[in-house]
Amino acid sequence: MRLNEQTKSHPWKIRPDGQAKVTGELRYLTDLNFPNKLYGKVLRSDVPHAKLLSIDSSRAEALDGVNAVLTHKDVPGLNGFGIADPNQPVFCENLIRYEGDAIAAVAAETSEIAEEALKLIKVEYEELPVLDTPEKALRSDAPYLHESGNILHKTDYVRGDVEKGFDECVAIVEETYETPRQMHVFMETEGGTFVPEENGTLTVYAPTQHGYKDQMQLSRILAMPAEAIRVISSPIGGSFGGKDELNVQPFGSLLALHCGRPVKMHYSREESVKAGLKRHPMKVKMKTGIDQEGNLIAHKVEIVSDTGAYATLGGPILNFATEHAIGCYTIPHVDVKGKAVYTNNGVSGEFRGFGGNQVIFALEGQMDRLAEKIALDPWEFRRRNLRKTKDLGPLGQRVVPNDGPRQVWEAIKKSPLYQVETSQDLISEKPWIVCGKGLALAMHGSGLGYGIPDPAGGELRLNEVGKIEVAFGHEECGQGLLATLEIMLLDHFQCDKEDIEVIIGDTGRVPATGSSTASRTTNMVWKALKNMKPSFLAALFAKVNDLTGVKEDQMVTGSGGVWKVSKDGKDQEFLISFKELVDRSSEPIEFSTEFHYPVTPDPIVGGHYLYSSTAVLAEVEVNMLTGMIQVTGIDHVVAAGQVMNPLGYLGQIEGGSIMALGFTITEDAIMASGRYLTKNLDTYLAPTIYDVPEIQHVDAIEELTEGDQFGPRGVGEVGSVALAPAIVSAIKQATGKWVTKLPVKPEELLADSEELIPPFLNSEPGNKRGQTV
């Protein structure tokens, strides 16, 4: 299915929340206001590494309009947070580990008074040596940033004998790849409002991708029962992983409970840069060898991940990177080792692709270089080494039979961009522009992987106002979940939009059904509805039978209620409305389901069971006067099962692709000596509409392998993971230069160029630049 064409005529071209978003009417959680509210602000260290000697807040406390100044002494429970390892202090007690560390928090009558109060807090500290690279942190004489040392997590996966394998190779490529510290650049920075209720409970209005996980973490910090904390987590003005971890929630909650008044907090962009999560910068060293026929024989990988000052999900991200450094290829001898290293840099954490983007850039770069070594077409080289349908997963674990890599390998050759030669229209007037195309391939795991709790479920009921209502503990963070759920419900029950109600993003109204992460949400709501629908309809029709005498097998749900179907199936007669049915029912008609995301039966921590696949073709133009790169075309093919929401699917692939374009060409939150040099979006170059192709063709392969009953895979991440190597391959074709460090620097493309135009390029009118794929 070509989604660009499918969505033109699709009836669901308007999202349920679309009009409110584009008109500005939608009230995000950071837009909310409450009577008698205070404003909260956080004092941050501004030094990357130091002993914290003393804090004097007396002058701030005396400032007129200040209601509270809190430090670590005011945390009633655990002074720490972190999804996997709560080793990030709410407030520093004795050691500062990065410039964004929180020292104190202030609540005041106005935002300006709160800012002034921060300036009055006196902090004494003794600066320590700054470990601003993993290499410095790994030195034997480096000071420990945590009691356990400077290594958060290690991975080590071996099969076969890699050194023996290299002895059998006729061609070997050894290269080191580096990737940037990318920002999420969500439009809505971290924030929220925290409301203490009269009954002693707390309501948290703060965007997050996992309301129940926030509730659990806040319970530990506040020393309150989890059920006394209600987290309202949607709608979210963008997250991409950046709001999966706590941010303002500990400070706002503590201040609100201390003051007994609502407290509003909202980070500036500069504070978001300093204190917010980033994509893990990684150095990936790969050594890969092949035989004379182009078969992969040996693959050795060393991953070093800069996790910054604290853990958050740095360990699971390294696990994911380790798995995806092997990818969808059959390699008999493999040795992958990884280290996630603590530094005094900003905290690295969850980000769309979850470590896959970094290693797939490296892995696909190896494939291109190896093909060049033996003068073999790089796409044919990949085909020879693709996994077979029933092969084990990258870590040797059993997986659902998966033919996705072969499917996308074949389908990309039918894409529009593949079918045409590189554009030649500039050749006569702009001979300094060179063009190229590049291809890349990836297989991406869905769900959290083996050994990590990954619960799911949902509730389905006929509610008191006569609507078919579903409730899920997921969040709408811009990905289009509301639209997808609406489409699914209307498909299941053939009713009208007015007959359904969707409840998400509120721990006070929904069950705990896991996080809105890891490309899992669509799959989990699909499964939950499939589980609950038969029992729900059986109970519904049994009640209608009691009231009307019509047999259950003659009933269907439809517009407004339950209908009787004629024996030949051609005619329908309205029986009873949903509202009348619920009014005449003494017992509620409601059902729930609980289950776990599918996992491999093999005990390999982090190993995935379900995968989606993608192939990407990119076309670039490189200006050899300036080194600037323009991506002029992108085609995607994605194999992820049935498309539930065509417009949402297209949006996810295109959106992920644009984020990957920035990762490849422009984006890097630059740090030096443990301090951000990038402080705002004025020096951080995220792509705009002018930087992307007008159309990105997206083909969806919906056919799953025979026997696969696991339904549609999510596509929130797969659109972002393979574009970087495709662009770099296109740059190589255009300029003759391989790139190993992202983002691509224009000056590196121009380095060592003795002529304005590369010598291999004949710029006479009519001659072709680059090659067709």
Side-chain angles (χ1 to χ4, degrees):
M1 179 200 305
R2 180 147 299 154
L3 288 172
N4 305 75
E5 299 169 0
Q6 174 77 6
T7 54
K8 289 177 183 177
S9 58
H10 198 271
W12 304 105
K13 292 201 292 184
I14 299 177
R15 289 169 47 155
D17 54 352
Q19 181 171 337
K21 284 187 171 182
V22 300
T23 60
E25 295 174 1
L26 184 68
R27 288 168 63 82
Y28 289 94
L29 299 177
T30 48
D31 293 327
L32 301 181
N33 283 300
F34 292 83
N36 201 33
K37 72 176 181 296
L38 299 170
Y39 291 85
K41 297 286 182 180
V42 178
L43 176 67
R44 301 194 180 276
S45 71
D46 283 332
V47 296
H49 195 198
K51 290 181 181 178
L52 180 57
L53 303 179
S54 67
I55 307 169
D56 182 357
S57 60
S58 57
R59 292 177 63 205
E61 292 167 5
L63 183 65
D64 189 32
V66 170
N67 292 71
V69 180
L70 304 184
T71 67
H72 65 88
K73 297 177 182 178
D74 301 296
V75 180
L78 176 68
N79 184 25
F81 63 95
I83 294 179
D85 181 354
N87 73 346
Q88 181 166 356
V90 177
F91 297 114
C92 289
E93 296 183 45
N94 46 44
L95 183 64
I96 293 167
R97 295 182 178 88
Y98 87 115
E99 67 167 347
D101 258 332
I103 306 296
V106 171
E109 298 293 335
T110 68
S111 179
E112 292 78 12
I113 294 173
E115 287 281 4
E116 183 63 25
L118 295 183
K119 299 174 185 177
L120 297 177
I121 300 173
K122 184 178 179 181
V123 181
E124 292 186 353
Y125 51 82
E126 176 188 328
E127 292 200 54
L128 298 171
V130 176
L131 306 179
D132 60 352
T133 67
E135 291 77 12
K136 288 182 181 179
L138 291 173
R139 291 176 185 168
S140 60
D141 60 347
Y144 277 10
L145 299 181
H146 293 270
E147 289 185 7
S148 59
N150 291 341
I151 298 177
L152 163 64
H153 183 57
K154 289 183 178 181
T155 57
D156 191 348
Y157 174 72
V158 176
R159 69 167 173 258
D161 184 334
V162 74
E163 296 306 328
K164 181 180 177 182
F166 282 124
D167 290 340
E168 301 171 4
C169 294
V170 300
I172 295 173
V173 169
E174 187 169 4
E175 190 60 83
T176 299
Y177 302 84
E178 298 181 51
T179 62
R181 180 177 282 103
Q182 187 180 21
M183 294 200 298
H184 300 82
V185 199
F186 26 68
M187 293 181 69
E188 176 198 43
T189 55
E190 301 90 337
T193 301
F194 306 83
V195 181
E197 307 292 354
E198 291 183 1
N199 62 1
T201 63
L202 175 71
T203 303
V204 174
Y205 298 87
T208 176
Q209 289 180 231
H210 197 172
Y212 272 97
K213 186 66 74 173
D214 282 16
Q215 182 192 60
M216 179 274 290
Q217 292 209 70
L218 288 174
S219 173
R220 296 189 303 202
I221 294 166
L222 304 174
M224 289 176 64
E227 57 269 21
I229 304 168
R230 179 183 179 186
V231 177
I232 297 175
S233 51
S234 293
I236 304 172
S239 179
F240 318 109
K243 297 171 186 169
D244 201 16
E245 183 62 89
L246 293 184
N247 42 77
V248 301
Q249 293 91 336
F251 313 115
S253 298
L254 287 165
L255 289 168
L257 291 172
H258 184 88
C259 298
R261 290 170 60 180
V263 173
K264 182 168 185 174
M265 302 187 72
H266 198 180
Y267 288 172
S268 66
R269 182 65 66 177
E270 183 173 351
E271 186 172 11
S272 179
V273 172
K274 181 183 292 186
L277 301 179
K278 309 293 182 295
R279 190 186 295 281
H280 283 78
M282 290 188 187
K283 284 188 178 180
V284 183
K285 183 178 180 181
M286 285 188 175
K287 180 180 179 181
T288 315
I290 55 176
D291 64 15
Q292 188 63 51
E293 286 72 41
N295 299 307
L296 290 166
I297 301 297
H299 186 50
K300 186 175 183 178
V301 184
E302 296 175 13
I303 304 168
V304 178
S305 172
D306 182 351
T307 206
Y310 299 106
T312 185
L313 287 178
I317 288 168
L318 181 64
N319 289 342
F320 196 95
T322 298
E323 176 183 16
H324 288 72
I326 304 166
C328 53
Y329 301 110
T330 301
I331 314 174
H333 304 286
V334 173
D335 184 343
V336 183
K337 291 180 172 57
K339 292 179 183 176
V341 184
Y342 289 121
T343 66
N344 292 124
N345 291 326
V347 181
S348 300
E350 306 87 289
F351 203 124
R352 191 180 207 166
F354 211 72
N357 312 59
Q358 297 94 315
V359 295
I360 290 168
F361 162 58
L363 178 64
E364 289 297 283
Q366 292 290 95
M367 299 302 106
D368 282 337
R369 288 160 173 80
L370 286 164
E372 186 179 63
K373 281 270 188 180
I374 58 173
L376 182 63
D377 175 80
W379 209 234
E380 168 61 20
F381 174 78
R382 286 169 170 81
R383 184 197 65 78
R384 294 185 186 185
N385 291 284
L386 284 181
R387 58 170 280 116
K388 304 297 188 298
T389 303
K390 296 184 179 181
D391 283 353
L392 296 175
L395 300 178
Q397 81 276 25
R398 280 172 284 178
V399 301
V400 174
N402 179 9
D403 197 30
R406 182 196 60 80
Q407 290 174 312
V408 298
W409 183 93
E410 291 182 349
I412 195 68
K413 294 189 292 184
K414 301 173 185 176
S415 70
L417 196 58
Y418 195 104
Q419 300 299 316
V420 299
E421 293 185 349
T422 305
S423 60
Q424 307 300 325
D425 56 318
L426 298 175
I427 194 68
S428 58
E429 57 187 56
K430 295 182 179 179
W432 53 87
I433 300 292
V434 293
C435 300
K437 291 183 186 177
L439 285 156
L441 185 69
M443 185 173 76
H444 186 82
S446 300
L448 303 184
Y450 183 92
I452 303 174
D454 201 356
E459 294 175 352
L460 175 64
R461 65 179 63 88
L462 189 63
N463 68 21
E464 63 277 5
V465 297
K467 291 180 182 287
I468 298 174
E469 177 183 289
V470 291
F472 293 102
H474 300 299
E475 285 78 24
E476 173 58 71
C477 46
Q479 81 277 40
L481 176 60
L482 286 172
T484 299
L485 280 170
E486 189 176 90
I487 290 169
M488 286 183 178
L489 286 172
L490 297 182
D491 182 59
H492 277 299
F493 300 109
Q494 299 300 306
C495 54
D496 297 330
K497 291 183 181 181
E498 293 72 26
D499 298 322
I500 62 175
E501 185 168 348
V502 175
I503 301 175
I504 58 172
D506 182 347
T507 60
R509 301 183 65 193
V510 300
T513 56
S515 64
S516 301
T517 55
S519 302
R520 70 187 293 279
T521 307
T522 295
N523 182 268
M524 290 297 89
V525 297
W526 175 88
K527 176 66 173 175
L529 288 173
K530 186 177 181 181
N531 287 354
M532 296 184 290
K533 177 183 175 181
S535 299
F536 176 77
L537 287 180
L540 198 72
F541 293 159
K543 183 61 181 177
V544 177
N545 172 258
D546 290 341
L547 297 173
T548 67
V550 176
K551 294 180 179 180
E552 286 95 326
D553 61 3
Q554 293 179 283
M555 298 180 199
V556 295
T557 52
S559 176
V562 179
W563 295 67
K564 178 183 177 181
V565 181
S566 62
K567 290 184 179 181
D568 60 10
K570 294 181 178 179
D571 298 313
Q572 293 187 5
E573 174 189 348
F574 188 74
L575 288 175
I576 188 171
S577 72
F578 292 130
K579 182 64 170 69
E580 182 182 356
L581 182 57
V582 74
D583 288 344
R584 297 177 65 181
S585 298
S586 57
E587 297 293 330
I589 301 174
E590 58 182 0
F591 294 88
S592 63
T593 182
E594 294 181 3
F595 53 97
H596 196 277
Y597 194 90
V599 293
T600 176
D602 297 316
I604 299 173
V605 174
H608 288 79
Y609 194 51
L610 304 181
Y611 293 86
S612 54
S613 297
T614 185
V616 183
L617 172 59
E619 180 186 59
V620 303
E621 293 178 355
V622 183
N623 186 321
M624 295 307 291
L625 293 175
T626 65
M628 299 302 291
I629 304 156
Q630 180 71 42
V631 177
T632 53
I634 304 173
D635 283 355
H636 303 263
V637 176
V638 179
Q642 185 181 358
V643 176
M644 308 308 300
N645 175 0
L647 191 63
Y649 194 113
L650 181 64
Q652 286 288 62
I653 300 304
E654 289 183 339
S657 174
I658 293 169
M659 187 167 277
L661 189 152
F663 172 72
T664 309
I665 295 179
T666 59
E667 294 187 46
D668 192 7
I670 299 172
M671 301 195 76
S673 300
R675 286 183 166 88
Y676 277 103
L677 302 182
T678 302
K679 297 183 182 298
N680 214 322
L681 296 185
D682 53 356
T683 56
Y684 186 86
L685 303 179
T688 71
I689 192 66
Y690 297 106
D691 300 306
V692 300
E694 184 175 345
I695 294 176
Q696 297 186 52
H697 291 102
V698 178
D699 286 353
I701 298 173
E702 300 187 83
E703 296 77 23
L704 295 172
T705 305
E706 184 178 355
D708 186 336
Q709 300 297 316
F710 291 98
R713 304 342 181 212
V715 294
E717 297 172 285
V718 72
S720 74
V721 297
L723 183 63
I727 291 175
V728 167
S729 179
I731 291 171
K732 168 61 165 63
Q733 189 186 86
T735 67
K737 294 188 177 183
W738 283 120
V739 173
T740 59
K741 184 175 182 179
L742 301 181
V744 182
K745 290 182 170 54
E747 59 269 26
E748 292 185 3
L749 295 182
L750 301 180
D752 304 321
S753 294
E754 297 181 359
E755 303 177 24
L756 179 64
I757 305 301
F760 60 83
L761 179 65
N762 186 328
S763 61
E764 293 180 7
N767 283 1
K768 298 178 181 180
R769 297 163 293 153
Q771 302 292 324
T772 55
V773 175

